[in-house]
Short mmCIF file of all heavy atoms in Angstrom, two decimals:
data_model
loop_
_atom_site.label_atom_id
_atom_site.label_comp_id
_atom_site.label_asym_id
_atom_site.label_seq_id
_atom_site.Cartn_x
_atom_site.Cartn_y
_atom_site.Cartn_z
N VAL T 11 -0.27 30.24 -1.24
CA VAL T 11 0.08 30.62 -2.63
C VAL T 11 0.89 31.83 -2.54
O VAL T 11 0.40 32.86 -2.04
CB VAL T 11 -1.23 30.75 -3.40
CG1 VAL T 11 -0.86 31.26 -4.83
CG2 VAL T 11 -1.99 29.51 -3.48
N SER T 12 2.15 31.85 -2.98
CA SER T 12 3.01 32.89 -3.02
C SER T 12 3.04 33.57 -1.62
O SER T 12 3.18 32.94 -0.60
CB SER T 12 2.66 33.99 -4.07
OG SER T 12 2.15 33.46 -5.20
N ASP T 13 2.84 34.92 -1.64
CA ASP T 13 2.89 35.68 -0.38
C ASP T 13 1.50 35.87 0.23
O ASP T 13 1.35 36.51 1.18
CB ASP T 13 3.50 37.05 -0.63
CG ASP T 13 4.90 36.95 -1.06
OD1 ASP T 13 5.64 36.05 -0.70
OD2 ASP T 13 5.34 37.92 -1.83
N HIS T 14 0.52 35.16 -0.37
CA HIS T 14 -0.88 35.29 0.14
C HIS T 14 -1.12 34.17 1.15
O HIS T 14 -1.67 33.12 0.82
CB HIS T 14 -1.86 35.17 -1.02
CG HIS T 14 -1.68 36.18 -2.08
ND1 HIS T 14 -1.89 37.53 -1.93
CD2 HIS T 14 -1.17 36.00 -3.39
CE1 HIS T 14 -1.52 38.16 -3.07
NE2 HIS T 14 -1.10 37.30 -3.94
N LEU T 15 -0.63 34.34 2.39
CA LEU T 15 -0.72 33.31 3.37
C LEU T 15 -2.09 32.89 3.73
O LEU T 15 -2.36 31.86 4.28
CB LEU T 15 0.04 33.71 4.65
CG LEU T 15 1.59 33.91 4.44
CD1 LEU T 15 2.26 34.39 5.70
CD2 LEU T 15 2.22 32.67 3.92
N SER T 16 -3.08 33.77 3.46
CA SER T 16 -4.48 33.45 3.80
C SER T 16 -5.15 32.57 2.66
O SER T 16 -6.16 31.97 2.93
CB SER T 16 -5.33 34.72 4.06
OG SER T 16 -5.33 35.51 2.87
N TYR T 17 -4.56 32.54 1.53
CA TYR T 17 -5.08 31.75 0.43
C TYR T 17 -4.27 30.50 0.35
O TYR T 17 -3.15 30.49 0.01
CB TYR T 17 -5.01 32.54 -1.01
CG TYR T 17 -5.65 31.78 -2.10
CD1 TYR T 17 -7.06 31.81 -2.15
CD2 TYR T 17 -4.87 31.13 -3.04
CE1 TYR T 17 -7.67 31.12 -3.17
CE2 TYR T 17 -5.55 30.47 -4.08
CZ TYR T 17 -6.93 30.47 -4.18
OH TYR T 17 -7.53 29.79 -5.17
N ARG T 18 -4.94 29.39 0.77
CA ARG T 18 -4.24 28.14 0.87
C ARG T 18 -4.87 27.05 0.00
O ARG T 18 -6.04 27.13 -0.35
CB ARG T 18 -4.24 27.70 2.39
CG ARG T 18 -3.60 28.73 3.29
CD ARG T 18 -3.43 28.34 4.70
NE ARG T 18 -2.46 27.21 4.91
CZ ARG T 18 -1.15 27.35 4.86
NH1 ARG T 18 -0.58 28.47 4.63
NH2 ARG T 18 -0.44 26.27 5.12
N LEU T 19 -4.02 26.11 -0.36
CA LEU T 19 -4.44 25.01 -1.29
C LEU T 19 -4.19 23.67 -0.65
O LEU T 19 -3.35 23.52 0.20
CB LEU T 19 -3.61 25.06 -2.60
CG LEU T 19 -3.75 26.39 -3.37
CD1 LEU T 19 -2.76 26.30 -4.56
CD2 LEU T 19 -5.13 26.62 -3.87
N TRP T 20 -4.99 22.71 -1.09
CA TRP T 20 -4.69 21.26 -0.78
C TRP T 20 -3.75 20.72 -1.75
O TRP T 20 -3.89 20.93 -2.98
CB TRP T 20 -5.98 20.44 -0.93
CG TRP T 20 -7.03 20.60 0.21
CD1 TRP T 20 -8.17 21.35 0.21
CD2 TRP T 20 -7.00 19.98 1.48
NE1 TRP T 20 -8.79 21.27 1.39
CE2 TRP T 20 -8.12 20.38 2.21
CE3 TRP T 20 -6.10 19.11 2.09
CZ2 TRP T 20 -8.37 19.92 3.46
CZ3 TRP T 20 -6.33 18.68 3.35
CH2 TRP T 20 -7.53 19.09 4.06
N GLY T 21 -2.75 20.02 -1.26
CA GLY T 21 -1.83 19.31 -2.08
C GLY T 21 -1.63 17.95 -1.59
O GLY T 21 -2.13 17.56 -0.48
N PHE T 22 -0.83 17.13 -2.25
CA PHE T 22 -0.69 15.69 -1.84
C PHE T 22 0.78 15.24 -2.16
O PHE T 22 1.33 15.61 -3.19
CB PHE T 22 -1.68 14.82 -2.61
CG PHE T 22 -3.00 15.39 -2.63
CD1 PHE T 22 -3.41 16.16 -3.65
CD2 PHE T 22 -3.90 15.25 -1.54
CE1 PHE T 22 -4.67 16.76 -3.72
CE2 PHE T 22 -5.16 15.82 -1.59
CZ PHE T 22 -5.51 16.58 -2.69
N ARG T 23 1.20 14.38 -1.31
CA ARG T 23 2.44 13.56 -1.64
C ARG T 23 2.00 12.09 -1.53
O ARG T 23 1.39 11.69 -0.54
CB ARG T 23 3.55 13.87 -0.63
CG ARG T 23 4.20 15.21 -0.80
CD ARG T 23 5.41 15.36 0.14
NE ARG T 23 5.82 16.73 0.21
CZ ARG T 23 6.05 17.42 1.32
NH1 ARG T 23 5.84 16.87 2.54
NH2 ARG T 23 6.43 18.63 1.22
#
Side-chain angles (χ1 to χ4, degrees):
V11 176
S12 325
D13 297 330
H14 306 289
L15 295 177
S16 63
Y17 187 75
R18 301 186 68 76
L19 301 175
W20 283 102
F22 316 94
R23 289 186 190 129

